[in-house]
Amino acid sequence: MTGAATYPYEAHVPVLRLGKVLLVTLQGDLYDSTAEQLRQDIGRTVSDSAINGVVIDLSGVEIVDSFMGRVLSDVAAMTRLLAAQTVVAGMRPAVAITLVELGLTLPGLRTALNTEEALRLLGAEVSALPRDVRARRESP
């Protein structure tokens, strides 16, 4: 495939554990089945481990629909019930506008401008990030 368009993908979204924080980086659009699997993966990992926070990096997502908004809200509610917090990082203005237009307030979901700030909100050390991830987050 060529071009800059993003296409929905049906693949496993990696959930990276950094100490007591999970880092989930979304790129492009997700199929509903992939988003549902992601919700289950996060829930299972938080409940099976001593996780106190989840960072969902949306910087690679250009659009969201109501289902994806509901998945984000569900993840936040689920992690809160499991004694963890969820922070969404890197949300583009168009995504924020869409969520507002859809009437999704996403209670319990904290936001940060970037992954580094999200980790700070959760009290995690930025140095816990692998060097290549830190470099991607720090570049414009």
Side-chain angles (χ1 to χ4, degrees), residues 41-65:
D41 290 348
I42 291 171
R44 185 174 30 261
T45 305
V46 169
S47 69
D48 292 347
S49 307
I51 299 298
N52 64 18
V54 176
V55 175
I56 302 175
D57 181 359
L58 294 182
S59 60
V61 176
E62 298 201 22
I63 59 170
V64 294
D65 60 8

Side-chain angles (χ1 to χ4, degrees), residues 29 58 61-69 72 91 94-99 102 104:
D29 303 324
L58 294 182
V61 176
E62 298 201 22
I63 59 170
V64 294
D65 60 8
S66 60
F67 180 76
M68 190 60 196
L72 292 173
M91 187 182 303
V95 171
I97 290 168
T98 301
L99 291 172
L102 291 171
L104 298 171

Side-chain angles (χ1 to χ4, degrees), residues 3-78:
T6 58
Y7 298 93
Y9 59 93
E10 187 153 13
H12 179 76
V13 176
V15 177
L16 179 64
R17 183 174 176 172
L18 303 168
K20 294 186 177 213
V21 174
L22 298 181
L23 175 61
V24 180
T25 302
L26 302 179
Q27 298 293 319
D29 303 324
L30 298 177
Y31 282 115
D32 290 354
S33 60
T34 306
E36 179 60 35
Q37 183 64 49
L38 176 63
R39 178 173 35 197
Q40 292 174 13
D41 290 348
I42 291 171
R44 185 174 30 261
T45 305
V46 169
S47 69
D48 292 347
S49 307
I51 299 298
N52 64 18
V54 176
V55 175
I56 302 175
D57 181 359
L58 294 182
S59 60
V61 176
E62 298 201 22
I63 59 170
V64 294
D65 60 8
S66 60
F67 180 76
M68 190 60 196
R70 195 172 77 238
V71 167
L72 292 173
S73 181
D74 289 352
V75 166
M78 174 184 56

Side-chain angles (χ1 to χ4, degrees), residues 76-128:
M78 174 184 56
T79 58
R80 192 172 52 252
L81 288 172
L82 295 170
Q85 298 178 52
T86 299
V87 180
V88 170
M91 187 182 303
R92 295 173 185 243
V95 171
I97 290 168
T98 301
L99 291 172
V100 169
E101 288 174 347
L102 291 171
L104 298 171
T105 58
L106 306 177
L109 193 64
R110 298 172 72 187
T111 58
L113 292 177
N114 55 47
T115 304
E116 186 175 338
E117 182 62 28
L119 290 169
R120 276 196 203 106
L121 284 173
L122 294 172
E125 291 293 322
V126 176
S127 60

